Amino acid sequence: MTDHAGVDTFAADSHGPIATLGGRPLISNCGIPLNLDWVQQVRVNTSAVERRAQSHVARRTVKKEWQAAWLLRAVSCMDLTTLSGDDTEERVRRLCAKARHPIQDDLVKRLGIEELDIKVAAVCVYHTFVETAVRALEGSGVRVAAVSTGFPAGLSPLTERVAEIRRSVEAGANDIDVVITRAHVFGGKWQALYDEIAAFKQASGSAHMKVILGTGDLLTLRNVARASFVAMMAGADFIKTSTGKEPTNATLPVGFVMTRAIREYAQETGMAVGFKPAGGIRTAKQSIEWLALMKEELGTSWMRSELFRFGASGLLNDIERQLEHYATGRYSADYRHPVA
Amino acid sequence: MSIAEKFVAMEYGPAPEDPKEALAWLDLHGRRFGHFIDNTWRPPTEDGYFETADPSTGEKLATVAQGSASDIDGAVRAASAALPKWQALTPHARARYLYALARTVQKHSRRLAVLETMDNGKPIRESRDIDIPLVARHFYHHAGWAQLLQQEFPGYTACGVVGQIIPWNFPLLMLAWKIAPALATGNTVVLKPAEFTPLTALAFAEICSEIGLPRGVVNIVTGDGSTGEALVKHPDVAKIAFTGSTEVGRAIRSATASSHKRLSLELGGKSPFIIFEDADLDSAVEGLVDGIWFNQGQVCCAGSRLLMQESIAEALIAKVRERMSTLRAGAPLDKSIDIGAIVARVQLDRIKRLVEQGVAEGATCWQPQIELPSRGLYYPPTLLSNVHPTSIVAQREIFGPVLATMTFRTPSEAVELANNTLYGLAACVWSESINVALHVASQLKAGVVWVNCTNLFDASCGFGGYRESGYGREGGREGLLEYLEPAWFRSAPALPAAKLPADQKSTDDNLARPAIDRTVKLYIGGKQARPDSGYSMEIRASDGRLLGEAPLGNRKDIRNAVEAAHKASGWAKTTAHSRAQVLYYVAENLSQRSEEIARRLAAVVGETQAASEVSLGIERIFSYAAWADKFDGAVHNPPFRNIALAMNEPLGTVGIVCPNQAPLLGFLSLVMPVLAAGNAAVVVPSEMYPLITADLYQLFDTSDLPGGAVNIVTGYTSQLLKTLAEHDDVDAIWCFGDGTSAAAAKTYSIGNLKQVFTNEGRAIDWFDVTQGEGRWFLQHAVQVKNIWVPYGE
């Protein structure tokens, strides 16, 4: 634990160290050539990982003011997301207002956290709404993330998917969440997968690229681990579990496999890749389990929005209720907190 | 520190479980407990009280009664008095009581967990999520066995009053492992909890009252080793079940040798944790956390010897160190703690001493820079590398959070290192190749093998050791048998004192002496051998006539026979089908020679019995040839996604002392089940008629039985039995002589704690199929290995 202490002093500057692991400073990921041996050597024992996930939630908990602090941290790592067919500009503007101001002032005051100026990390929308979000969030420091590359299936022609990224970057998106061609994983076409992601990375330019593996589609944890390594080798800034549209989305076993892959990649290359679980994270308790997973597997320096995001829509409301409970001692209700 | 500062630091902070309810319960009892006897709390009759404390703070929790011999006597009397009524209940009624115990444990689960953690020092996560749920599960599972007892164990009966002595590392769980099967099978119980951790047993006693368990069925007497000793020595106790150190287990074996007490021992271990290069290393490291850093390493089956394939050793050690650095040690009641307090000062000192010695012997000690509380009994997670098999830390059970590491090159070297121990309780094998994992698992000398997992337990799966880790199993069908006996055996009459014909000195030897038609030899390693001594013993007919001379075997002949048996380990690997074929062939050859063998035997036992011994002997061989490929193991049903295989494995080399009553049939009734199960045998035939050896080795020689699978040494039973029972390379003794030899077998087998199976000096009717053959014998010819194989992709 001491290895990871005092990490919050790192700047988000992409040239300096963005994290430490075992006392070693790490830089942002710039990718490495595809290393097929490494991909092939992956071993994941599903039952063992599931047992680890099961015991993890019982091994760590945070209470009282620590819990409040952790929940605030969860808010600051949130990609507040709307990805529905019925999204409108006004709906996106509402979401952005919530992103700027996720916790009510009186609650902020009661918690004594005015100085933290808590905001969510990003607002995550379809390309159509990038400009709306950029305008609505101007000057707030909240980033705009665009899902891209034929989200959620990722099956449109490659040139169109790459063009889609460029359009979103031009429209002002800071983060680009891309989806991979799952067929490449099933077919073991690691070179094709690597090339595809490398092309996305190039198109993303200075925007942060989060690579969605579609873990609910990949199904096996071995596939998840292999795809994680290929994505990191191809230059992913983040690896992300799922689209939120798959039958199952972010699960803790998947989280353990992906964070262990990130750790191994960091140990081998000296480069830090971020992690974004998305889909199915709805409760404050879950957010603490995920943060604890980051702390256990990667250390405290991975518990910041530079390297950790939740993809979530309903989570914020539950966190607000728990924070209010902490502040007042009374259990709260949904309607007491402004909707997004 | 403000929330804003905590937001920056992202530390866990304290998360204490509230001990209020558990403390209130202690207060309700005035923090002072007597013994629980006959459903009432009784003050100690003689020796007063002693204190039990919280090892994480040193604070006294309560005073409990020190049990004396007279307290034990009172408890045994209560249990004896309760026995008839308890046994007269229907199985369904007993099932209801066990069900109520399970339910009530669940209702009080948190109080029990907190109490356990305070008394023992283990993290609340473990007592809350592992110990107490397994306690409830054990009572549920055995409520089921109580219900099914008559259908599933026809012809079996309870032992009677059982004395149970349990350790301090899993106090309530070990109580459940002991009490649930005992009650389910209709026994009554006197249990002594460990001196350091008596509180949950006392809380359980109260639960017994609460559910209205009949008086005297469960009695709890607290105290130290002397209390346990009084229980072990009490004449009215029919069985002792003990979990604890090998040292005390040995003392109990010794103390019960001259009695007919049944005994099951679950003792120490130095379990190997084998990681192959194709394992999921991160998961294997978590396995170590659940293994050696579970309950501060105070676990008899802790994976305390890490055996790593050389190619991954460096990477693995780096991962282990990283993981050790994120373990959190601290107040056991804190919900985010991995490592709690060591149970007692004496245990902490022992850990320190052994680690120091290991380092002095060349081991490198590494401990992570993690915080330990300033007061209380704590020891940090510890990694000892560069450990050689000769080091004390590779051999001795440390019973602390200390991992000793070694490397291996090949699977066969892994097996060799893993089995290079006096113990044989548990083992772990990590490999993503099912071929490697199961191949290695099948060769490990351990009662439990966990493949790609660690420390999984369930009431449906037997748990127990090979070698000096003890004998008997707890859990599952195999565990129930420890508390049951064949009804006929319980009521079998005492064996009349043997009267050897040689004792009846005939008046006219010389006149009656017939021509000696052949020289009988010993049979060792498939060859006829002259005795080392160069002496023979005279063998006489029932009328005193001299029938011939049998070689007088001695220690060296036994030594040679055991060596030959050891070399015949191929017999165990022969397929069950092939073993059956060989046995059938023996029967076929016996049938061909039946007349001449019966004729010679008739001189000792009379014509009628001789004819009967031969014809029943052929049937008996047929029975075990039939059993050879049918005495299956089982696939258990624990509540996990895995296959738990209960495999019946041969014991190894079994020493057999044959009864005098039926020189041929008795021999076959004992040797055939031993062979059918894949063991090698060193047999001492009856002193009455050892000349049968000559007939037998001709049978074996002509029946394709591999040399060394059966070895026969004739001579004086008392002398040969001693050498055989003391021999450390003999894995079990089957002694079916008189009562004296049964006691001798138990006494002399203390050295390596080999399993002992005797007639307890009772008469067995070998001519009765119910008594003379079947599962009862086969069960004693095997040990059950449970292999856990979780699956999923």
Side-chain angles (χ1 to χ4, degrees):
Chain A
M1 279 178 292
T2 48
D3 288 339
H4 308 299
V7 288
D8 233 37
T9 51
F10 291 118
D13 173 5
S14 60
H15 301 295
I18 61 162
T20 57
L21 189 64
R24 173 186 179 189
L26 304 170
I27 59 166
S28 308
N29 187 26
C30 41
I32 60 167
L34 178 64
N35 182 338
L36 276 178
D37 288 346
W38 195 353
V39 177
Q40 296 297 352
Q41 275 166 17
V42 164
R43 302 272 190 266
V44 181
N45 188 281
T46 300
S47 301
V49 173
E50 287 171 353
R51 279 196 305 279
R52 168 65 171 139
Q54 211 175 4
S55 96
H56 167 73
V57 300
R59 276 181 187 275
R60 295 291 182 264
T61 184
V62 281
K63 298 291 177 194
K64 304 201 164 139
E65 52 268 51
W66 284 271
Q67 188 181 72
W70 281 52
L71 291 176
L72 292 167
R73 183 58 76 108
V75 172
S76 75
C77 290
M78 199 175 291
D79 280 5
L80 199 58
T81 302
T82 183
L83 295 169
S84 298
D86 59 0
D87 283 347
T88 61
E89 289 194 9
E90 185 50 29
R91 155 82 183 138
V92 170
R93 279 193 285 270
R94 270 179 11 213
L95 194 74
C96 292
K98 184 74 182 173
R100 282 170 168 266
H101 195 187
I103 299 163
Q104 293 177 80
D105 290 341
D106 62 333
L107 191 50
V108 167
K109 210 171 289 172
R110 276 172 177 260
L111 296 173
I113 52 158
E114 294 90 338
E115 62 184 287
L116 294 179
D117 190 21
I118 297 284
K119 296 182 184 104
V120 304
V123 165
C124 183
V125 293
Y126 276 114
H127 168 78
T128 318
F129 303 108
V130 168
E131 283 180 41
T132 310
V134 167
R135 273 199 299 277
L137 292 170
E138 203 173 355
S140 68
V142 177
R143 300 164 72 91
V144 174
V147 294
S148 193
T149 68
F151 181 94
L155 290 173
S156 47
L158 183 63
T159 48
E160 284 188 27
R161 283 182 276 154
V162 170
E164 201 185 335
I165 295 173
R166 294 221 167 86
R167 281 198 293 275
S168 292
V169 172
E170 277 166 27
N174 312 99
D175 297 355
I176 303 291
D177 290 21
V178 302
V179 289
I180 63 164
T181 302
R182 276 73 118 187
H184 291 336
V185 178
F186 299 134
K189 294 175 182 156
W190 306 119
Q191 187 68 53
L193 182 64
Y194 179 91
D195 292 345
E196 171 183 272
I197 297 169
F200 294 163
K201 173 70 178 174
Q202 198 185 10
S204 300
S206 62
H208 274 80
M209 177 177 72
K210 307 196 198 99
V211 178
I212 303 171
L213 303 181
T215 54
D217 289 336
L218 299 185
L219 276 181
T220 75
L221 294 179
R222 198 187 305 259
N223 279 344
V224 169
R226 287 177 173 156
S228 296
F229 281 113
V230 174
M232 291 188 285
M233 290 170 188
D237 294 298
F238 273 71
I239 51 176
K240 174 175 169 183
T241 57
S242 21
T243 57
K245 312 285 185 192
E246 295 138 52
T248 54
N249 293 289
T251 64
L252 286 172
V254 159
F256 274 99
V257 168
M258 293 175 72
T259 51
R260 286 170 179 180
I262 290 170
R263 187 175 63 204
E264 191 172 315
Y265 184 80
Q267 283 163 341
E268 294 294 319
T269 67
M271 295 186 287
V273 174
F275 177 56
K276 178 176 173 182
I281 303 169
R282 294 187 187 89
T283 66
K285 183 169 188 297
Q286 281 177 298
S287 72
I288 285 178
E289 291 166 1
W290 283 98
L291 280 167
L293 182 154
M294 298 309 286
K295 186 172 171 71
E296 292 296 311
E297 294 295 312
L298 291 163
T300 315
S301 71
W302 250 275
M303 297 169 83
R304 301 167 307 134
S305 62
E306 287 83 353
L307 288 169
F308 182 61
R309 302 284 179 84
F310 289 104
S313 42
L315 174 62
L316 179 54
N317 189 262
D318 194 51
I319 290 180
E320 286 178 270
R321 292 196 308 130
Q322 300 312 321
L323 286 171
E324 190 176 24
H325 171 241
Y326 167 76
T328 65
R330 288 178 288 118
Y331 287 108
S332 182
D334 288 353
Y335 64 81
R336 297 174 60 84
H337 305 282
V339 294
Chain B
M1 200 161 73
S2 68
I3 291 179
E5 285 164 323
K6 293 185 173 73
F7 176 87
V8 173
M10 281 289 108
E11 293 301 336
Y12 285 110
E17 175 76 33
D18 191 343
K20 193 171 65 207
E21 294 291 329
L23 292 173
W25 180 79
L26 289 175
D27 289 338
L28 193 69
H29 286 266
R31 300 233 177 191
R32 174 183 286 254
F33 294 86
H35 305 301
F36 182 76
I37 296 171
D38 217 16
N39 283 22
T40 53
W41 295 103
R42 287 195 196 166
T45 50
E46 291 168 14
D47 295 341
Y49 293 85
F50 64 96
E51 288 185 359
T52 184
D54 180 340
S56 71
T57 60
E59 282 164 21
K60 181 186 124 182
L61 292 169
T63 53
V64 298
Q66 166 60 34
S68 62
S70 82
D71 294 327
I72 287 290
D73 186 55
V76 173
R77 277 166 197 267
S80 301
L83 198 56
K85 275 191 186 167
W86 180 243
Q87 294 193 330
L89 289 179
T90 62
H92 176 63
R94 287 196 294 266
R96 286 184 175 206
Y97 283 117
L98 283 155
Y99 181 74
L101 286 173
R103 282 295 201 191
T104 311
V105 163
Q106 276 186 324
K107 284 180 218 166
H108 300 312
S109 60
R110 192 55 60 88
R111 190 181 77 206
L112 292 169
V114 172
L115 205 54
E116 194 79 300
T117 283
M118 288 196 300
D119 207 13
N120 166 280
K122 65 172 65 200
I124 184 71
R125 177 191 75 88
E126 295 178 9
S127 52
R128 180 197 65 200
D129 294 353
I130 299 170
D131 291 47
I132 307 302
L134 282 173
V135 169
R137 161 83 182 136
H138 222 79
F139 281 106
Y140 276 123
H141 182 78
H142 284 87
W145 279 123
Q147 176 73 24
L148 300 176
L149 192 71
Q150 283 174 349
Q151 292 103 301
E152 288 299 299
F153 295 92
Y156 278 85
T157 185
C159 298
V161 175
V162 299
Q164 305 180 319
I165 301 171
I166 57 171
W168 45 258
N169 57 346
F170 295 91
L172 193 62
L173 182 55
M174 291 302 102
L175 174 147
W177 281 22
K178 294 280 181 288
I179 289 184
L183 297 190
T185 45
N187 300 275
T188 57
V189 167
V190 177
L191 178 136
K192 188 197 89 71
E195 187 184 357
F196 296 142
T197 56
L199 294 180
T200 46
L202 297 168
F204 179 82
E206 198 177 69
I207 288 174
C208 291
S209 289
E210 196 179 325
I211 66 144
L213 191 70
R215 300 158 67 87
V217 170
V218 168
N219 305 276
I220 311 275
V221 179
T222 52
D224 60 12
S226 68
T227 317
E229 195 181 343
L231 181 56
V232 165
K233 289 186 172 159
H234 197 288
D236 296 336
V237 170
K239 177 194 163 71
I240 293 288
F242 171 76
T243 297
S245 72
T246 295
E247 189 188 352
V248 176
R250 202 166 259 139
I252 292 175
R253 165 82 286 175
S254 172
T256 54
S258 58
S259 73
H260 298 320
K261 288 188 177 77
R262 296 266 310 272
L263 188 56
S264 53
L265 301 172
E266 202 270 86
L267 308 175
K270 189 78 189 174
S271 299
F273 193 106
I274 308 170
I275 306 181
F276 284 94
E277 61 185 2
D278 66 348
D280 171 356
L281 296 188
D282 288 309
S283 289
V285 170
E286 290 305 328
L288 282 170
V289 173
D290 291 333
I292 190 65
W293 294 304
F294 172 50
N295 199 19
Q296 296 74 248
Q298 303 167 132
V299 185
C300 50
C301 55
S304 53
R305 285 186 298 144
L306 172 60
L307 306 176
M308 313 169 281
Q309 196 152 13
E310 270 185 17
S311 54
I312 47 130
E314 203 180 324
L316 184 70
I317 288 295
K319 281 179 187 288
V320 172
R321 288 184 177 196
E322 267 171 45
R323 185 63 181 91
M324 288 170 78
S325 304
T326 61
L327 291 172
R328 302 185 82 236
L333 280 175
D334 190 310
K335 294 173 214 169
S336 299
I337 282 301
D338 300 307
I339 297 198
I342 302 294
V343 71
R345 170 75 57 190
V346 56
Q347 184 57 24
L348 182 62
D349 292 343
R350 176 189 156 82
I351 298 168
K352 286 180 182 165
R353 201 170 57 240
L354 282 166
V355 170
E356 278 165 20
Q357 193 172 341
V359 171
E361 288 171 355
T364 309
C365 176
W366 187 87
Q367 293 170 333
Q369 297 299 307
I370 62 173
E371 268 179 63
L372 291 183
S374 50
R375 69 166 183 165
L377 307 173
Y378 289 92
Y379 195 82
T382 299
L383 182 70
L384 295 175
S385 42
N386 300 323
V387 172
H388 300 291
T390 51
S391 171
I392 191 157
V393 291
Q395 296 172 359
R396 194 80 64 82
E397 183 174 40
I398 298 176
F399 231 61
V402 181
L403 181 65
T405 70
M406 281 173 272
T407 60
F408 64 86
R409 294 162 295 180
T410 60
S412 55
E413 192 177 45
V415 170
E416 188 188 2
L417 284 169
N419 288 340
N420 186 213
T421 171
L422 299 175
Y423 297 110
L425 193 49
C428 286
V429 182
W430 289 77
S431 165
E432 287 300 291
S433 159
I434 194 164
N435 292 313
V436 171
L438 293 184
H439 184 57
V440 168
S442 71
Q443 296 174 79
L444 293 173
K445 297 284 182 198
V448 184
V449 180
W450 288 295
V451 173
N452 293 325
C453 58
T454 312
N455 280 344
L456 295 184
F457 307 100
D458 186 56
S460 68
C461 299
F463 181 89
Y466 283 30
R467 295 179 173 166
E468 291 184 29
S469 290
Y471 40 79
R473 294 290 179 269
E474 297 188 287
R477 184 181 285 273
E478 53 261 45
L480 285 178
L481 287 169
E482 298 295 330
Y483 291 94
L484 290 167
E485 278 182 336
W488 66 263
F489 183 65
R490 233 183 130 56
S491 53
L495 201 59
K499 276 190 214 153
L500 293 181
D503 294 341
Q504 313 163 333
K505 206 63 180 164
S506 167
T507 48
D508 48 0
D509 271 358
N510 294 331
L511 294 176
R513 177 175 292 194
I516 296 175
D517 54 7
R518 53 183 179 168
T519 304
V520 178
K521 291 185 188 163
L522 306 178
Y523 186 57
I524 294 174
K527 293 193 178 70
Q528 299 172 30
R530 291 184 195 285
D532 171 78
S533 68
Y535 289 103
S536 293
M537 59 198 282
E538 292 185 342
I539 306 302
R540 287 165 192 276
S542 50
D543 58 9
R545 265 183 311 136
L546 185 66
L547 292 174
E549 288 174 326
L552 193 62
N554 67 10
R555 302 176 52 83
K556 289 185 180 167
D557 298 311
I558 291 287
R559 177 199 65 189
N560 296 344
V562 173
E563 272 174 25
H566 188 104
K567 284 184 193 144
S569 59
W571 177 247
K573 295 183 190 119
T574 309
T575 64
H577 171 74
S578 301
R579 290 202 298 270
Q581 294 298 107
V582 170
L583 297 194
Y584 280 125
Y585 200 7
V586 173
E588 190 182 323
N589 286 324
L590 175 57
S591 170
Q592 278 197 345
R593 296 161 190 240
S594 55
E595 278 179 28
E596 46 163 329
I597 291 174
R599 180 162 37 82
R600 284 192 284 270
L601 185 58
V604 186
V605 300
E607 273 180 31
T608 320
Q609 181 177 331
S612 169
E613 283 201 44
V614 172
S615 68
L616 277 175
I618 294 168
E619 281 192 38
R620 195 129 303 162
I621 302 171
F622 252 65
S623 287
Y624 287 110
W627 271 118
D629 62 354
K630 293 172 194 67
F631 192 59
D632 308 284
V635 178
H636 289 312
N637 261 326
F640 302 94
R641 189 186 62 218
N642 79 62
I643 296 173
L645 302 166
M647 291 174 60
N648 289 332
E649 292 198 339
L651 299 160
T653 299
V654 180
I656 299 176
V657 172
C658 295
N660 274 323
Q661 292 70 37
L664 176 66
L665 185 60
F667 181 105
L668 295 174
S669 300
L670 296 171
V671 173
M672 288 302 142
V674 163
L675 286 180
N679 300 282
V682 175
V683 194
V684 178
S686 71
E687 241 175 80
M688 164 104 85
Y689 185 57
L691 299 178
I692 194 78
T693 305
D695 292 318
L696 290 166
Y697 57 59
Q698 282 182 355
L699 279 186
F700 295 143
D701 276 342
T702 50
S703 307
D704 295 342
L705 186 73
V710 174
N711 306 276
I712 308 175
V713 180
T714 58
Y716 295 119
T717 303
S718 57
Q719 293 170 9
L720 300 177
L721 169 61
K722 180 168 188 291
T723 310
L724 204 48
E726 284 178 342
H727 201 304
D728 283 340
D729 206 22
V730 172
D731 300 290
I733 286 285
W734 286 23
C735 183
F736 285 75
D738 55 16
T740 326
S741 60
K746 293 176 191 172
T747 305
Y748 296 133
S749 64
I750 290 165
N752 72 346
L753 284 170
K754 59 177 67 68
Q755 308 197 20
V756 182
F757 177 33
T758 84
N759 56 352
E760 300 295 345
R762 294 174 202 159
I764 292 177
D765 182 356
W766 300 103
F767 298 87
D768 175 356
V769 171
T770 321
Q771 300 192 9
E773 70 177 54
R775 282 186 178 272
W776 191 51
F777 292 92
L778 287 161
Q779 278 149 6
H780 287 90
V782 298
Q783 48 196 343
V784 182
K785 177 190 278 180
N786 274 272
I787 304 179
W788 294 64
V789 191
Y791 56 85
E793 174 65 59

